[in-house]
Amino acid sequence: MGDNGNGGGGSAGVVAVLVIFIIVLVAAFFAYRAGVFGGKKTQVDINVTTPQK
């Protein structure tokens, strides 16, 4: 009675928000890996030289 068939009451909305949040995080990670936010531009060039005597 008043359960509306979802079984958890208000927890279905919380689960939906968490799933959407995880999807957004995964999409942002792949966008970063693709270089949308400059992820591929980070290049470290270390040139080590010893002083000549």
Side-chain angles (χ1 to χ4, degrees), residues 21-46:
F21 182 70
I22 291 172
I23 291 173
V24 168
L25 282 180
V26 171
F29 173 74
F30 281 115
Y32 175 77
R33 290 291 304 268
V36 174
F37 303 122
K40 297 234 176 193
K41 294 179 182 175
T42 55
Q43 182 179 1
V44 178
D45 188 12
I46 300 174

